[in-house]
Amino acid sequence: MKNIYKNLKHLHIVYLFSITIFMITISCNNNVSSVDDKEQLEKKFYSVKGFVSYIFLDLNDSTQRQDTMRTFDNQKIKIYLYNIVNFDSVLIRSNGEFVFDKVKEGSYIILINDKSYNTFTRQINVPPDTNLNILLEPNKDIYCKETFTVRGYVWDQPIEDVSGNYLRGVKVYLDKGLLYSDSTITDGGGGFQFNNVCKGFHSITVDSFGNFYQYYHRKIYVNENFYFLLYIQGKKADYFPFDENTRYKFKYDFWSFSTNGEVSHNEGTSSWNVDSVKYEPNLKTYFVTDTFKTASNTTYRKIIISINQYNRVKIKGLPMVDTVSFNRFQDIRRPEIISVPTHSFEYGVSIKRNVGLYKITRYLNRLSEVYQRIE
């Protein structure tokens, strides 16, 4: 009997121990479950919103082409937001705005698929991608029903001492920076051609070719096959960099020949120093002292140099260049420019790029007078 009681007592202890272990296990499982549920409950929801616009290509004959962002008046277009477990869609409002509410964090795909526009798709992460701006491209096959050919030649704009010529290897752009832009390279004869160009307003652009030519941009309207010559000009540089610190020094050389064969020669130096500057609306005037030295004497002369808002330079006070007028910005392809101050070709003024006044000459019957820049 004692043995039976002892065994029962042992079984009771085992039973109590098992029950205790079971309860502890259930408690642990409940704790894990509650943690998972808490994490799920604490997982945040977000609003994904933004604006959709599209580029409007106005091909109306009576208006100029516009490449502007437009919104969706009277258009019912859906935008989709989805991943492997979630799928949602909303209509884009007339002002282009859209809002997706209660979006769980994660990776999603944004999709707009409408026949009037090229399909738009973008992968986003929520967060941080909760504010979006979307720009749609119009479907070219729908809006572009008439096409033409645009062709032409790129020509080097001739200047006085540089003859013009066709330019090969120049990059020409059609609608640079806009939708459906195109580019080509001029061939050996300077020719270029664009095919399948939509009816309407377009732009032709040529970037500066090398270091010598200016940027070229022109608007054209295409309603038939289009042909034209495109002239590009040389870049401009400052041929008269004159300011308060300018110092000119010339070597002076004078020759005269009398009728009886006698030769007279005189030489010396001429130094220009800026004394003061007067600023007026659209005009800057420099007051200069010319120190003119020869072997026999020294003479001081007052010279006035003015530069207006059009960069036109005038020099007064020096007999050889009195009333000279020229533009300080000239075509960079000309290293030196000879300007004629009067209607007579007996006088000349030379200016050099980034140097300034370089030479002054006067050639009359039996007389030669030259100012040659030396520093």
Side-chain angles (χ1 to χ4, degrees), residues 69-341:
M69 292 191 297
R70 294 292 182 90
T71 50
F72 295 85
D73 297 335
N74 302 319
Q75 298 186 54
K76 293 184 178 180
I77 299 177
K78 278 190 174 183
I79 181 169
Y80 299 88
L81 178 73
Y82 65 92
N83 59 18
I84 57 175
V85 294
N86 297 288
F87 185 91
D88 197 2
S89 66
V90 295
L91 278 174
I92 299 172
R93 299 172 185 171
S94 60
N95 65 350
E97 185 181 16
F98 66 90
V99 178
F100 291 98
D101 290 319
K102 296 183 179 180
V103 178
K104 291 182 179 180
E105 61 181 277
S107 295
Y108 293 86
I109 299 293
I110 285 279
L111 171 69
I112 301 176
N113 188 19
D114 185 272
K115 67 179 181 179
S116 298
Y117 305 94
N118 293 340
T119 299
F120 175 88
T121 180
R122 180 191 295 175
Q123 184 173 346
I124 66 170
N125 293 307
V126 178
D129 302 325
T130 55
N131 287 282
L132 306 174
N133 286 305
I134 298 172
L135 182 62
L136 297 182
E137 300 178 356
N139 188 334
K140 188 175 181 181
D141 294 333
I142 291 178
Y143 83 82
C144 185
K145 296 180 180 179
E146 288 186 87
T147 61
F148 303 94
T149 297
V150 173
R151 65 186 183 93
Y153 293 90
V154 178
W155 179 263
D156 177 357
Q157 178 70 51
I159 54 179
E160 292 176 8
D161 52 359
V162 177
S163 59
N165 200 356
Y166 291 120
L167 292 175
R168 64 177 181 272
V170 179
K171 196 165 189 178
V172 182
Y173 299 88
L174 179 72
D175 299 328
K176 184 179 181 183
L178 304 179
L179 292 178
Y180 314 114
S181 60
D182 197 3
S183 65
T184 186
I185 303 294
T186 56
D187 57 28
F192 65 90
Q193 181 167 313
F194 295 101
N195 298 315
N196 301 318
V197 178
C198 295
K199 178 181 178 180
F201 288 89
H202 298 273
S203 64
I204 294 288
T205 304
V206 180
D207 281 341
S208 54
F209 179 51
N211 295 319
F212 296 101
Y213 294 94
Q214 297 183 46
Y215 174 86
Y216 178 97
H217 184 79
R218 174 180 173 180
K219 289 282 188 180
I220 61 174
Y221 180 72
V222 178
N223 60 355
E224 60 183 356
N225 292 330
F226 197 91
Y227 167 82
F228 64 107
L229 282 175
L230 187 158
Y231 294 94
I232 60 174
Q233 298 178 340
K235 287 183 180 178
K236 297 295 180 69
D238 190 353
Y239 280 71
F240 195 78
F242 200 86
D243 57 36
E244 290 92 327
N245 300 316
T246 301
R247 297 292 183 269
Y248 277 169
K249 189 171 184 179
F250 300 93
K251 178 184 177 182
Y252 175 73
D253 215 4
F254 176 85
W255 294 85
S256 66
F257 307 89
S258 64
T259 54
N260 59 9
E262 292 182 358
V263 178
S264 175
H265 178 236
N266 194 10
E267 62 183 359
T269 59
S270 174
S271 299
W272 293 9
N273 293 303
V274 178
D275 297 326
S276 60
V277 184
K278 182 180 180 181
Y279 298 92
E280 300 175 90
N282 304 322
L283 186 68
K284 187 185 291 186
T285 305
Y286 299 88
F287 298 93
V288 179
T289 296
D290 173 23
T291 304
F292 182 73
K293 293 183 179 181
T294 63
S296 57
N297 61 11
T298 299
T299 305
Y300 299 96
R301 295 182 290 202
K302 295 297 183 181
I303 299 173
I304 298 175
I305 299 175
S306 61
I307 304 175
N308 68 13
Q309 75 270 31
Y310 304 110
N311 290 299
R312 198 80 189 167
V313 179
K314 286 186 179 181
I315 303 175
K316 295 182 179 180
L318 187 65
M320 288 179 62
V321 290
D322 201 26
T323 70
V324 167
S325 177
F326 55 87
N327 195 302
R328 69 188 297 178
F329 289 100
Q330 301 286 342
D331 196 313
I332 199 172
R333 291 171 292 172
R334 298 190 283 187
E336 181 178 334
I337 298 175
I338 299 175
S339 173
V340 180

Side-chain angles (χ1 to χ4, degrees), residues 10-54:
H10 177 73
L11 288 172
H12 180 68
I13 292 171
V14 171
Y15 173 75
L16 290 175
F17 180 76
S18 299
I19 290 295
T20 302
I21 296 297
F22 177 73
M23 294 302 293
I24 291 172
T25 302
I26 290 175
S27 175
C28 289
N29 288 338
N30 285 338
N31 287 338
V32 171
S33 177
S34 64
V35 169
D36 290 342
D37 291 343
K38 187 176 181 181
E39 287 180 352
Q40 289 295 324
L41 289 172
E42 289 180 351
K43 198 169 187 178
K44 293 182 178 180
F45 291 91
Y46 297 85
S47 290
V48 176
K49 56 187 176 180
F51 287 90
V52 181
S53 53
Y54 66 96

